[in-house]
Amino acid sequence: MKAHDFLTIRDISKEEMHETFTIARDMKTDRSKYAEALKGKTLALIFEKPSLRTRTSFDVGIQQLGGFSLYLSPAEISLGKRESIHDVAKNLERMVQGIMIRTFAHQIVIDMAKYASIPVINGLTDYSHPCQAMADFLTILEKKKKLEGLKLAYVGDGNNVAHSLMFAGARLGVNVTIVCPQDFKPNATALQQSVEDAKATGAMIEVVHDPAVGVKNADVVYTDTWASMGQESEAEARRKIFAPYQVNKRLMSYAKSDALFMHCLPAHRNEEVTDEVIDSPQSVVFDEAENRLHVQKAIMFQLMK
Ligand code: CP
Ligand code: NVA
């Protein structure tokens, strides 16, 4: 990986994405081989939002590589309030070898990376969730044995997860259809950049509004919460708008019969997805969650070794 930081999928090339998948699969097969890969190194985990998977996978992941993690809660550093992003970066680079940050504005991770001399990894912003997309495409590769030419239909809000899936699909040659209500389209720049990136692989990146049309012939049906972290006050209104976009058995029937169901989790059962879909044999949601561990170990290894 040539990049110093991992802030967005667009930081890395298609070849580098495959290199990360290969390392992740090797780590998954033979954990002991990498037991001292990051021996004695410490990763600071800055969380300004809650987390189960991101925290657990980075925490366990760095330990499995022989390193340590340091959890810094919102209350502890109060980023930009108690201390500026610049000063937090300048302190941390003297004591730890990498920073994982989950926050609100994407500009915060960009600024952190600008000021810190150590690698910065984006653990989710309002704009993107690149580690999630890496775990997701690793999961699809494992299950479908290929990526190019597949169709992924993302049904729901054109949010951070949708953006990273578009960026990754564009790079990897996977067609991505975002199926969303009119007023919840992905960010226009993210869409335009994805369409531009997709020219190199021939992938089609599109936005449609009719759920049945969007899901037709999909190899993967993906959804996420209708109200992301920070949008809790909109949850009730969104439940009404997004109701036609629920991934249920009927909607799944428009996809290929062997389509995978995916969700970054946490799921709001019987809102964006019904129990019968998330608990069905087509669902690979816990494989995705596990792959957060493997793919992020590979990313930490590539950036921090
Ligand atoms: N998918 C994901 O990022 O989960 P957490 O919010 O629990 O970390
Ligand atoms: N879009 C969701 C993803 C959670 C992992 C959020 O930002 O809350």
Side-chain angles (χ1 to χ4, degrees):
M1 209 184 266
K2 283 197 293 287
H4 181 268
D5 308 289
F6 185 54
L7 307 187
T8 157
I9 293 286
R10 299 188 79 240
D11 286 345
I12 58 176
S13 66
K14 178 183 184 179
E15 291 67 35
E16 288 173 325
M17 290 177 81
H18 278 289
E19 188 184 299
T20 305
F21 295 149
T22 302
I23 297 171
R25 294 178 90 165
D26 195 36
M27 289 176 161
K28 201 168 172 176
T29 315
D30 187 1
R31 188 171 126 186
S32 62
K33 196 165 134 190
Y34 296 88
E36 299 197 340
L38 294 182
K39 194 176 175 192
K41 298 200 174 179
T42 300
L43 179 74
L45 305 175
I46 301 178
F47 279 95
E48 296 210 290
K49 290 176 177 174
S51 169
L52 170 67
R53 280 147 293 274
T54 305
R55 179 167 179 193
T56 309
S57 53
F58 273 109
D59 205 334
V60 171
I62 186 93
Q63 290 180 52
Q64 288 185 359
L65 296 171
F68 308 95
S69 73
L70 174 72
Y71 174 71
L72 297 165
S73 74
E76 258 149 352
I77 43 177
S78 191
L79 203 58
K81 296 185 197 87
R82 183 170 184 267
E83 199 158 3
S84 71
I85 298 165
H86 172 273
D87 289 0
V88 170
K90 289 294 163 205
N91 278 271
L92 286 177
E93 71 182 25
R94 300 293 180 104
M95 297 177 235
V96 302
Q97 288 69 47
I99 299 170
M100 188 295 315
I101 172 165
R102 163 169 289 195
T103 187
F104 292 88
H106 192 71
Q107 191 60 42
I108 296 174
V109 300
I110 295 174
D111 290 347
M112 187 69 80
K114 184 170 78 186
Y115 300 131
S117 59
I118 53 176
V120 174
I121 301 173
N122 175 0
L124 179 147
T125 65
D126 289 345
Y127 186 67
S128 67
H129 197 2
C131 293
Q132 181 68 51
M134 290 297 286
D136 296 337
F137 282 95
L138 171 60
T139 308
I140 299 169
L141 181 60
E142 287 176 340
K143 302 288 177 191
K144 295 285 182 193
K145 315 285 180 221
K146 64 167 195 173
L147 290 174
E148 280 195 33
L150 295 179
K151 173 179 175 179
L152 182 152
Y154 171 94
V155 187
D157 186 20
N159 63 14
N160 44 9
V161 171
H163 295 161
S164 290
L165 292 172
M166 291 192 312
F167 292 144
R171 280 271 194 274
L172 294 165
V174 176
N175 303 307
V176 177
T177 301
I178 305 292
V179 192
C180 62
Q182 191 68 43
D183 293 336
F184 295 87
K185 292 197 280 279
N187 172 281
T189 306
L191 180 61
Q192 185 235 315
Q193 288 173 334
S194 304
V195 169
E196 195 57 39
D197 292 348
K199 287 182 183 157
T201 53
M204 189 175 66
I205 310 293
E206 60 173 1
V207 177
V208 307
H209 301 297
D210 182 325
V213 170
V215 165
K216 197 166 180 321
N217 282 327
D219 298 281
V220 178
V221 179
Y222 197 119
T223 192
D224 182 18
T225 182
W226 293 335
S228 287
M229 291 179 275
Q231 299 172 335
E232 289 77 7
S233 64
E234 297 173 32
E236 191 49 47
R238 283 172 176 248
R239 265 195 281 277
K240 292 191 186 74
I241 298 165
F242 282 94
Y245 294 83
Q246 183 188 64
V247 180
N248 49 35
K249 217 168 150 190
R250 193 186 55 79
L251 189 59
M252 283 300 286
S253 74
Y254 293 100
K256 287 190 181 154
S257 57
D258 63 350
L260 304 175
F261 171 73
M262 301 183 78
H263 192 311
C264 58
L265 306 177
H268 303 79
R269 285 170 171 263
N270 302 310
E271 290 189 18
E272 72 268 11
V273 59
T274 56
D275 283 342
E276 63 179 353
V277 170
I278 198 170
D279 295 329
S280 74
Q282 284 169 272
S283 173
V284 295
V285 297
F286 301 117
D287 298 297
E288 289 176 80
E290 180 189 331
N291 277 336
R292 293 289 304 277
L293 171 68
H294 306 297
V295 94
Q296 289 162 196
K297 280 173 68 179
I299 293 166
M300 286 189 278
F301 174 66
Q302 288 173 293
L303 294 179
M304 292 170 66
K305 67 177 186 287

